[in-house]
Amino acid sequence: MSAAIEVRGLSKRFGAVVALEDVALRVEFGRVVGFLGPNGAGKSTLMRALLGLVRPDNGAAHIAGLPYAHLTAPAKRVGAVLDIASAHPRMTARAHLRTYAALGGMARSRVDTVLSLVEAQSYADRRIGTFSTGMRQRLALATAMLGDPDILVLDEPSNGLDPSGIAWLRTFLHSFADAGGAVLLSSHVLHEIEHTIDDVILIDHGRTVWTGPLEQLVTKDAPLEEAFLRLTQKGPLS
């Protein structure tokens, strides 16, 4: 069986700036994987390359064994949250989801299903322009789940969530992985993500510097933030 996500030898340059250099990583089904690194380390570039939004100079990025562009029904294979600002502020959450469902050839009934999944029913008919950041995060996740994918790629999914929302997200992601799904997520809040992830992929200056199970990286007396500082020789993420 193919890995959920596999990246081999990925390199990308923007002019004189090296964003990624020979990056390799692997995400297995049934795991929640934290994708960590300092600001500017290359996390967003890699996520965009994985989803076909950036063309790498070298290497390969595969989802379930195929490049994103070769997936026959990409929304039904992978759900992504990269930008929570893309929803039109004058639309309601329900109308936004119905539009995306129609564009993706998904059943309209999925709209109510995903609203329930992210517990957004109470504001489904409000205009998105009135939403808090946490509400927008839930709507973005609902949009990613429309195709009932088995792989999620999430950039800072806990941003704007209150403590109860963070606890809810942690339970949601664990349940998703326990059902056989795979999650690749980035975060700058290390003390939160440490309680969410199974594995860690750490990059710095566009290169992979550590990958493996969380328990091999941290101990009771040396939490994730200390390991991050040791491996990157940087200040805390911000």
Side-chain angles (χ1 to χ4, degrees), residues 5 23 47 81 93 96 98 101 107 140 145 152 161 182 188 192 218:
I5 295 169
V23 173
M47 285 183 161
V81 175
H96 168 85
R98 284 176 175 172
M145 291 297 297
L152 290 174
L161 295 180
H188 69 280
E192 290 173 2
V218 303

Side-chain angles (χ1 to χ4, degrees), residues 16-231:
V17 177
V18 178
L20 298 170
E21 186 175 359
D22 198 30
V23 173
L25 60 87
R26 186 179 175 96
V27 177
E28 302 289 353
F29 286 103
R31 308 290 282 180
V32 180
V33 179
F35 187 38
L36 311 178
N39 288 341
K43 301 187 300 296
S44 294
T45 299
L46 186 138
M47 285 183 161
R48 283 165 168 74
L50 182 64
L51 298 168
L53 301 174
V54 168
R55 179 177 293 179
D57 300 323
N58 294 294
H62 289 172
I63 295 172
L66 294 171
Y68 183 87
H70 294 177
L71 296 173
T72 55
K76 297 179 180 180
R77 186 89 247 206
V78 57
V81 175
L82 299 184
D83 181 6
I84 65 170
S86 60
H88 195 287
R90 294 188 61 82
M91 294 185 76
T92 66
R94 192 183 305 277
H96 168 85
L97 291 167
R98 284 176 175 172
T99 299
Y100 270 75
L103 290 171
M106 292 165 274
R108 189 164 171 154
S109 61
R110 283 292 297 171
V111 171
D112 286 330
T113 299
V114 297
L115 284 168
S116 178
L117 273 176
V118 304
E119 300 180 8
Q121 306 98 310
S122 63
Y123 48 89
D125 297 305
R126 280 177 51 181
R127 293 186 188 275
I128 296 166
T130 69
F131 283 12
S132 67
T133 303
M135 290 176 178
R136 287 176 177 269
Q137 285 283 18
R138 289 185 187 244
L139 176 59
L141 184 56
T143 307
M145 291 297 297
L146 274 170
D148 196 18
D150 57 0
I151 300 167
L152 290 174
V153 176
L154 310 175
D155 192 7
E156 301 284 356
S158 64
N159 184 37
L161 295 180
D162 59 20
S164 64
I166 291 169
W168 166 82
L169 179 65
R170 183 180 303 137
T171 300
F172 178 88
L173 296 179
H174 285 165
S175 297
F176 185 85
D178 288 345
V183 182
L184 177 68
L185 70 120
S186 71
S187 177
H188 69 280
V189 187
L190 298 182
H191 67 275
E192 290 173 2
I193 198 173
E194 185 171 357
H195 301 289
T196 303
I197 59 177
D198 302 306
D199 304 313
V200 175
I201 297 167
L202 180 58
I203 68 170
D204 190 19
H205 291 90
R207 296 183 65 90
T208 310
V209 296
W210 200 91
T211 180
L214 178 68
E215 62 265 23
Q216 292 183 10
L217 181 62
V218 303
T219 66
K220 182 179 179 181
D221 298 321
L224 182 57
E225 186 166 356
E226 289 189 20
F228 172 85
L229 295 172
R230 182 178 73 252
L231 290 167

